[in-house]
Amino acid sequence: MTAVSGQDRTLGNRAASATLWGGVNMALGRIVQFATTIIVARMIAPEHFGALAVAIVVQTIATNMAELGATAALARGTGDPDKIAPTVFSIALVTSGVMTAAAIALAPALATAFDDPAATPVIQVLSLTILLQGAGAVPSTMVWREFLQKPRVVVDLCSLVTVLVLVVPMALDGWGAMALAWSRVGGQLVALAGYWIITPKRYAPGFDRTVAAEILRLGMPLAMANLVVFVTLNVDYLLIGRMLDPTALGLYLLAFNLAGLPSSVITAIIRATAVPTFGRLFAEGTLGAVAGRFVAGTSYCAFPISAMVIALSHPLIVVAYGDAWAPAGIALATLGVFGATRILVEVFADLCVGAGRTVWLFWLQVAWLVSLTPALIVGIQWWGIAGAGIAHAAVACLVVIPLYVVALKSVLAVGAWELVRGSLVPLAAAIIAGSTAWLASVSVTEPLMALLLGGFLGGAVYVALTYRRGRLLVQTLRGLLRERTSLPAGGHTDTGES
């Protein structure tokens, strides 16, 4: 380890500790969320999940635009929160209120656009969460900025448990998709109260025109980029809903969520600390030197999970959700490839935000959407819901990741090889491990046994192939926690060895 300043040591220790607690948060949260989905999937028909998918599309588009990216200026950790937070709060409240009202008023037209008129009341109910998220934007961002992931575990877990407690009796009572919508509103209310309790400092709304201009200069491109990303990740729902039917959309939604589970967990853990850490490292001029290490560590954790999802897609779907959902297995297999690439894309995006290059980020997302839309149309026409997964994977691998690498070369002044070389060994090991899992499970007729056998053998092969790399990763993390040291300002710990 190279010598670092006292401030660096504090940053390294806080970031490592928050990342661990972020991992605990995600693990507990996903367990509860996964259990909830399993329970509800056995009570609610696939077409009801299709209605929820439509409502989530509308809700998330509005949420991404609701605070105009203003919280990014607060989250980066390089400005005075006392100066920034009141203006951010005002922007978030006003825009989230406008977006909520618009979503409620336009719900019938939006549901018709998705060819699912039954989704209208679901959209209207779920739109209430937009306003609740706006009211909690500053407290939740302050928790993020200050690496307060330990108390956040309690808040997020209480929110998820609230959803579970509400959705089960509603589903049993025949509420259908409305059970899913109202339970999410209840969970968001609990989260709002929790973040106001644990935030390190509370702010009232205020407004400073000069501050607002600077906030929006950084935030608006990010908000537009987030919107484009969401459209990119949900245009498949729109096309499947229009080109196929609500049942196919429900099957695809379940497969997409399961395939995206590794990426959502890992990127959520990373984002617990990524933007504040990257922002501070960029300000110190050290982000480019360590960016490759972040990418390599993420790849090591992400690739084997996605490989197991691909290899064991059919038994995984059947064991988790029952035989009625078995047709979703083929989509899960193709979407698993996209799940792995999406993790890298998310890390690259956080590096752009940490470096303050949100305009670059916006244009990268536009290129992604422009490339993906025709690929999805062709894929769905030829192969149905499986074709959507093929299109996602092809565009991410052939277009999006190369564009990000080219952009980050300029932003961080680092070579493309330095960014991606640490991912190659985990990728190769994951392919071998996934192949082993598939070969071990393909002849086993009992889904649970196939899942257990394939998962065990595939995992063992991956650990054996990457033992030295995994040991180095653990040692680095322990060093950050015990020695209170940060990532070194120079050098690259990846040796290319496994």
Side-chain angles (χ1 to χ4, degrees):
M1 288 281 185
T2 59
V4 289
S5 67
Q7 182 180 2
D8 285 338
R9 283 192 285 269
T10 300
L11 174 61
N13 178 259
R14 292 171 69 196
S17 178
T19 300
L20 285 181
W21 279 108
V24 172
N25 189 9
M26 284 302 104
L28 292 174
R30 293 303 174 181
I31 288 171
V32 175
Q33 191 175 58
F34 190 55
T36 301
T37 304
I38 290 175
I39 294 169
V40 175
R42 297 175 184 272
M43 301 178 183
I44 293 178
E47 57 266 25
H48 290 146
F49 274 89
L52 178 67
V54 172
I56 290 175
V57 169
V58 175
Q59 176 221 21
T60 311
I61 288 175
T63 299
N64 283 334
M65 292 300 296
E67 37 89 12
L68 302 180
T71 54
L74 188 59
R76 290 184 70 221
T78 56
D80 181 4
D82 292 341
K83 182 179 179 181
I84 299 171
T87 302
V88 172
F89 197 176
S90 296
I91 293 172
L93 278 178
V94 171
T95 53
S96 64
V98 170
M99 290 294 179
T100 300
I104 292 173
L106 296 174
L110 294 169
T112 301
F114 280 89
D115 200 25
D116 192 358
T120 297
V122 185
I123 294 173
Q124 292 171 329
V125 170
L126 205 58
S127 297
L128 298 176
T129 62
I130 301 167
L131 182 60
L132 296 176
Q133 289 178 21
V138 168
S140 61
T141 303
M142 288 298 297
V143 169
W144 184 22
R145 173 192 170 105
E146 300 301 328
F147 304 108
L148 299 179
Q149 294 301 314
K150 188 174 181 178
R152 184 176 180 175
V153 172
V154 178
V155 173
D156 290 351
L157 191 58
C158 287
S159 174
L160 288 168
V161 170
T162 300
V163 173
L164 177 59
V165 169
L166 291 175
V167 74
V168 172
M170 289 179 178
L172 289 173
D173 197 41
W175 287 42
M178 293 296 282
L180 301 168
W182 277 114
S183 62
R184 288 180 179 231
V185 173
Q188 191 63 51
L189 274 170
V190 171
L192 173 62
Y195 282 123
W196 272 98
I197 292 171
I198 68 171
T199 184
K201 189 170 184 179
R202 298 178 183 88
Y203 294 95
F207 193 78
D208 183 314
R209 184 175 299 178
T210 302
V211 171
E214 180 62 23
I215 288 172
L216 295 177
R217 182 194 65 78
L218 175 71
M220 279 298 292
L222 179 59
M224 295 303 297
N226 286 340
L227 176 61
V228 175
V229 167
F230 185 76
V231 173
T232 301
L233 295 179
N234 289 274
V235 67
D236 48 0
Y237 294 155
L238 175 61
L239 293 174
I240 290 172
R242 300 290 294 182
M243 298 172 66
L244 301 178
D245 55 63
T247 299
L249 180 58
L251 292 170
Y252 182 80
L253 171 65
L254 206 71
F256 191 94
N257 288 341
L258 188 55
L261 187 62
S263 64
S264 62
V265 170
I266 292 171
T267 55
I269 292 171
I270 294 169
R271 281 189 168 163
T273 60
V275 172
T277 302
F278 292 168
R280 289 173 171 92
L281 290 175
F282 184 77
E284 296 169 3
T286 60
L287 181 57
V290 299
R293 295 180 60 187
F294 286 107
V295 176
T298 302
S299 300
Y300 177 84
C301 299
F303 288 170
I305 302 174
S306 292
M308 294 302 105
V309 170
I310 297 165
L312 305 172
S313 57
H314 178 74
L316 183 56
I317 282 283
V318 173
V319 170
Y321 302 117
D323 291 331
W325 297 88
I330 185 64
L332 178 60
T334 56
L335 286 166
V337 179
F338 172 61
T341 58
R342 183 179 172 188
I343 296 169
L344 286 182
V345 169
E346 296 284 358
V347 174
F348 291 153
D350 283 346
L351 287 168
C352 287
V353 175
R357 300 301 194 269
T358 53
V359 175
W360 290 59
L361 184 60
F362 169 71
W363 287 111
L364 283 168
Q365 308 304 345
V366 170
W368 188 355
L369 177 59
V370 170
S371 303
L372 179 63
T373 302
L376 281 170
I377 293 172
V378 173
I380 294 169
Q381 283 179 337
W382 287 5
W383 301 295
I385 59 176
I390 295 171
H392 270 300
V395 172
C397 292
L398 301 177
V399 178
V400 182
I401 289 179
L403 285 177
Y404 264 109
V405 171
V406 171
L408 287 171
K409 281 175 57 182
S410 175
V411 172
L412 303 179
V414 62
W417 178 244
E418 289 299 311
L419 276 175
V420 302
R421 69 172 182 172
S423 301
L424 299 182
V425 169
L427 175 61
I431 292 172
I432 296 171
S435 300
T436 302
W438 182 80
L439 289 171
S441 64
V442 67
S443 60
V444 180
T445 56
E446 171 58 39
L448 180 58
M449 288 303 299
L451 186 62
L452 293 176
L453 179 62
F456 175 77
L457 292 178
V461 168
Y462 184 80
V463 170
L465 292 174
T466 60
Y467 174 74
R468 293 180 63 185
R469 185 178 297 268
R471 186 176 62 180
L472 177 61
L473 186 64
V474 171
Q475 288 174 347
T476 300
L477 184 58
R478 284 178 176 173
L480 289 170
L481 291 170
R482 292 179 179 177
E483 301 174 20
R484 301 183 67 82
T485 54
S486 73
L487 293 167
H492 197 296
T493 61
D494 176 53
T495 63
E497 300 171 340
S498 60

